[in-house]
Amino acid sequence: MNQEKSSSSANPIVRLDKVNKFFGDLHVLKDIDLEVSPGEVVVIVGASGSGKSTLIRCINGLEEFQQGHIEVDGNELLPHGKAAQALQKIRTEVGMVFQQFNLFPHLSVLDNVTLAPMKVRGWSRLDAMETAERLLERVGISDQAAKYPGQLSGGQQQRVALARALAMEPRLMLFDEPTSALDPEMIGEVLDAMRELAKEGMTMMIVTHEMGFARDVADRVIFIHQGEIAEQGPPEEVLDHPRNKPTQQFLSRVLKH
């Protein structure tokens, strides 16, 4: 677990106030109140369809919400996709790693990582390449830089996706079940790269079913049930001594496997 936290007086890097999200008549997120401090690692767990992925997709504007307020690093998102300028700033400062790798198959690993810093931040190719090479080494795949995504294993592709997100020097990293599409033997290498990132003090929000990983890296575990934050706290409290019945039932199913 990351021991070097910012002081409690620091402003939250993420703040959600009474956020509600609907898909038609389906009420997916219900009055979500949440703050995340700089350097904090928050792991979000819950059953499929509980609203976990929708929550973090709202934070970087991939999903619109209908009621409430979301603020990320001082930039406020408004309901119904308003405040486009804030959305652009947020997407520049927030990195995201998805279930699928979403790499450009026609570009080399190195070019996949350098593309966004050059196009969005206006870096020179030399600066972008130096950063990409450092990040690929950081996630343990510097020897794969000249290959194309189709030549890599799933675990390697996901580590390229992680390096690509980090190349934009984000203030916040979001992970949407980053290991769910991987074969079991490849999960560990991706989780290890994320553990290192947590140790270095990156602010992270992670949707995952990997409970051992949550126990290792999380400062706080949030359990979402039917669109609501049903329980939250340190991992040793939520995972070992859950207070409410939905959390207990969920963990009893997940921890059996």
Side-chain angles (χ1 to χ4, degrees):
M1 188 183 302
N2 182 15
Q3 300 297 323
E4 298 180 5
K5 296 296 161 193
S6 302
S7 68
S8 58
S9 61
N11 291 328
I13 193 168
V14 178
R15 180 185 286 117
L16 282 73
D17 179 31
K18 296 291 183 289
V19 171
N20 285 267
K21 164 70 179 174
F22 297 85
F23 288 117
D25 294 331
L26 183 62
H27 198 173
V28 183
L29 297 177
K30 305 172 184 176
D31 285 334
I32 298 291
D33 290 324
L34 176 64
E35 292 187 352
V36 178
S37 300
E40 188 176 13
V41 178
V42 175
V43 172
I44 303 168
V45 301
S48 297
S50 60
K52 311 182 300 297
S53 295
T54 301
L55 173 61
I56 63 168
R57 289 173 67 88
C58 285
I59 290 172
N60 72 346
L62 288 174
E63 293 284 357
E64 295 181 4
F65 58 101
Q66 284 72 45
Q67 297 170 4
H69 299 277
I70 296 177
E71 186 177 300
V72 182
D73 200 19
N75 300 294
E76 186 176 8
L77 284 175
L78 299 177
H80 303 289
K82 296 177 181 176
Q85 188 174 5
L87 177 58
Q88 184 176 2
K89 289 181 179 178
I90 287 170
R91 286 184 175 167
T92 303
E93 302 299 329
V94 177
M96 187 156 181
V97 177
F98 300 88
Q99 298 178 34
Q100 302 299 329
F101 321 122
N102 297 329
L103 300 174
F104 294 109
H106 63 291
L107 296 180
S108 70
V109 165
L110 188 64
D111 287 340
N112 264 280
V113 180
T114 59
L115 182 63
M118 292 169 60
K119 295 289 187 182
V120 179
R121 293 206 182 273
W123 292 7
S124 69
R125 179 161 179 80
L126 180 60
D127 287 344
M129 286 182 64
E130 288 178 351
T131 298
E133 288 167 356
R134 173 175 54 83
L135 290 171
L136 290 172
E137 183 173 359
R138 183 175 171 185
V139 299
I141 49 172
S142 57
D143 57 336
Q144 308 295 321
K147 291 185 178 180
Y148 290 84
Q151 297 174 292
L152 305 181
S153 70
Q156 289 172 326
Q157 290 187 62
Q158 193 62 296
R159 284 185 284 164
V160 174
L162 176 56
R164 179 181 59 181
L166 293 174
M168 288 292 287
E169 299 184 338
R171 295 257 295 143
L172 167 70
M173 283 291 296
L174 305 176
F175 296 86
D176 185 7
E177 300 193 27
T179 61
S180 65
L182 300 178
D183 293 332
E185 64 270 20
M186 298 175 184
I187 290 173
E189 60 192 53
V190 174
L191 295 181
D192 286 345
M194 293 170 63
R195 282 189 179 92
E196 290 302 311
L197 198 59
K199 288 178 183 176
E200 293 167 10
M202 174 64 74
T203 310
M204 303 166 71
M205 298 181 70
I206 306 164
V207 173
T208 185
H209 288 291
E210 300 291 336
M211 295 300 143
F213 173 76
R215 193 185 306 277
D216 287 347
V217 305
D219 297 296
R220 182 166 32 135
V221 173
I222 293 174
F223 173 68
I224 294 188
H225 178 64
Q226 296 180 353
E228 299 179 293
I229 295 179
E231 191 162 346
Q232 62 178 308
E236 57 272 16
E237 290 183 11
V238 175
L239 300 182
D240 295 335
H241 306 288
R243 295 187 301 273
N244 65 42
K245 192 168 184 179
T247 316
Q248 294 166 0
Q249 292 174 335
F250 170 76
L251 291 173
S252 70
R253 292 193 304 269
V254 171
L255 296 177
K256 285 180 181 177
H257 300 288

